[in-house]
């Protein structure tokens, strides 16, 4: 089995333009993320899945310069982009780590693969985690099925929701247990305030840390929560405006 991490990134962001290339201590945030994920022990490749749009040429040049793997595909249909990349790299199981989720934990990437090996699930979700930490696992066969059944060609926002149909897919959930965290803890990169927080976190922890280390940092410095306070409503408005139509074509279920 070939286990690869796919990171969807495009530079045509409106809330924080070219956020993947924003620098912290002279290092682009995409490099922080890739180098973190590469600490996973069970994966084969880390592949940045970007688009054919010329606006992503700058990202591709950076990836080439640093010998990072990438795939260029459909701009708005992330599911087709993933499927084409899976065929290109001969990937059997995809761990999808959103480019916004710059603190993703390689420990849970490996755990997702271990859970897949136990369950042979079509889709593995991480639930009850702080916002921005949860990745998902997708079997290529399930991705192929979704691409045949989906009704829309724009799947950029909400692509994970296509796999939530338990009548079609075998779904397994990894739950966060025995770890408490502030309910308003926000660990993603959408706005300038998120970048301001990232500068604090990476400044304190470097780039070799786990979720527990982040939570401990917020326990020690609760004032950090104020940096991203009040962003949730802005995020929800953007999500609701752009979320894909996740309806699937009717099929016969035995």
């Amino acid at each position: 089995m070939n286990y690869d991490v796919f990171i969807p990134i495009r530079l045509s962001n409106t809330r924080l333009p070219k956020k993947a290339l924003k620098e912290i201590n002279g290092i682009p945030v995409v490099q922080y993320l890739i180098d973190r994920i590469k600490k996973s022990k069970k994966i084969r490749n880390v592949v940045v899945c970007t688009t054919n749009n010329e606006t992503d040429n700058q990202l591709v040049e950076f990836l080439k310069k640093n010998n990072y793997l990438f795939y260029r595909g459909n701009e708005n249909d992330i599911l087709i982009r993933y499927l084409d990349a899976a065929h290109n790299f001969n990937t059997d199981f995809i761990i999808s780590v959103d480019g916004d989720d710059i603190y993703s934990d390689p420990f849970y990437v490996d755990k997702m693969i271990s859970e897949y090996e136990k369950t042979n699930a079509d889709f593995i979700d991480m639930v009850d985690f702080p916002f921005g930490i949860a990745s998902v696992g997708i079997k290529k066969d399930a991705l192929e099925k979704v691409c045949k059944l989906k009704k829309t060609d724009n799947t950029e926002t909400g692509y994970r929701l296509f796999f939530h149909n338990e009548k079609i897919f075998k779904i397994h959930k990894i739950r966060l247990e025995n770890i408490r965290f502030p309910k308003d803890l926000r660990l993603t990169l959408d706005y300038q305030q998120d970048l301001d927080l990232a500068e604090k976190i990476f400044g304190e922890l470097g780039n070799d840390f786990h979720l527990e280390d982040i939570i401990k940092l917020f326990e020690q410095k609760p004032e950090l929560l104020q940096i991203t306070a009040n962003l949730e409503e802005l995020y929800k408005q953007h999500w609701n405006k752009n979320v894909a139509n996740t309806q699937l074509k009717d099929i016969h279920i035995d």
Side-chain angles (χ1 to χ4, degrees):
M1 293 289 291
N2 294 328
Y3 302 109
D4 294 334
V5 171
F6 285 3
I7 305 176
I9 297 176
R10 60 180 184 175
L11 295 185
S12 57
N13 318 103
T14 56
R15 291 171 292 179
L16 186 60
K18 297 184 178 181
K19 58 186 175 183
L21 296 179
K22 297 291 186 183
E23 294 186 351
I24 298 174
N25 293 326
I27 300 173
V29 292
V30 63
Q31 184 171 336
Y32 280 98
L33 176 56
I34 295 172
D35 290 349
R36 285 183 58 73
I37 296 302
K38 281 190 169 183
K39 295 182 174 70
S40 300
K41 297 179 175 62
K42 292 179 175 290
I43 62 172
R44 183 185 58 154
N45 295 319
V46 177
V47 182
V48 174
C49 293
T50 189
T51 83
N52 288 317
N53 195 308
E54 63 180 13
T55 58
D56 289 314
N57 288 349
Q58 185 180 358
L59 172 63
V60 169
E61 288 304 312
F62 169 80
L63 297 171
K64 286 181 178 178
K65 181 179 178 180
N66 290 274
N67 295 314
Y68 292 135
L69 293 176
F70 66 91
Y71 182 83
R72 303 190 78 165
N74 191 290
E75 180 178 5
N76 296 313
D77 196 335
I78 192 172
L79 295 176
I80 290 294
R81 194 191 319 163
Y82 267 15
L83 183 58
D84 290 344
H87 287 148
N88 183 75
F89 287 96
N90 194 27
T91 305
D92 299 305
F93 188 79
I94 299 160
I95 301 90
S96 177
V97 176
D98 286 347
D100 300 342
D101 296 347
I102 57 177
Y103 311 103
S104 295
D105 193 330
F107 170 82
Y108 288 104
V109 171
D110 286 338
K111 183 175 178 60
M112 188 171 296
I113 293 172
S114 296
E115 292 297 306
Y116 170 72
E117 291 173 338
K118 294 176 185 176
T119 64
N120 194 34
D122 295 311
F123 181 77
I124 297 181
D125 204 358
M126 293 170 59
V127 298
D128 301 328
F129 284 77
F131 181 66
I133 291 294
S135 303
V136 295
I138 307 168
K139 187 191 293 187
K140 184 169 70 173
D141 292 349
L143 179 59
E144 289 176 333
K145 184 177 291 187
V146 162
C147 287
K148 290 178 181 177
L149 296 177
K150 66 185 180 62
K151 296 182 177 181
T152 180
D153 293 327
N154 188 338
T155 62
E156 183 70 23
T157 300
Y159 70 93
R160 301 177 178 194
L161 300 177
F162 285 88
F163 300 91
H164 285 191
N165 190 325
E166 294 184 346
K167 293 182 179 179
I168 301 176
F169 301 111
K170 180 180 179 181
I171 300 171
H172 179 70
K173 296 180 181 179
I174 299 173
R175 297 187 180 276
L176 184 63
E177 298 177 350
N178 303 319
I179 298 179
R180 295 181 178 273
F181 59 88
K183 65 178 182 178
D184 53 348
L185 181 59
R186 178 182 169 82
L187 297 175
T188 190
L189 184 62
D190 289 315
Y191 302 98
Q192 180 61 46
Q193 296 96 315
D194 295 319
L195 183 61
D196 295 340
L197 178 59
E199 291 175 348
K200 299 288 187 181
I201 293 176
F202 286 113
E204 291 278 351
L205 300 178
N207 199 28
D208 187 11
F209 58 84
H210 295 284
L211 174 58
E212 292 85 348
D213 299 310
I214 301 176
I215 293 173
K216 184 177 180 180
L217 175 63
F218 277 83
E219 289 174 350
Q220 295 170 341
K221 298 188 174 184
E223 66 273 14
L224 293 176
L225 288 170
Q226 296 305 310
I227 297 175
T228 56
N230 304 318
L231 289 181
E232 187 62 22
E233 187 58 35
L234 280 176
Y235 172 80
K236 287 181 178 178
Q237 289 175 7
H238 182 272
W239 170 272
N240 291 334
K241 181 180 178 181
N242 293 280
V243 66
N245 171 15
T246 58
Q247 290 182 326
L248 300 176
K249 298 173 185 175
D250 293 330
I251 62 171
H252 176 70
I253 305 296
D254 293 328

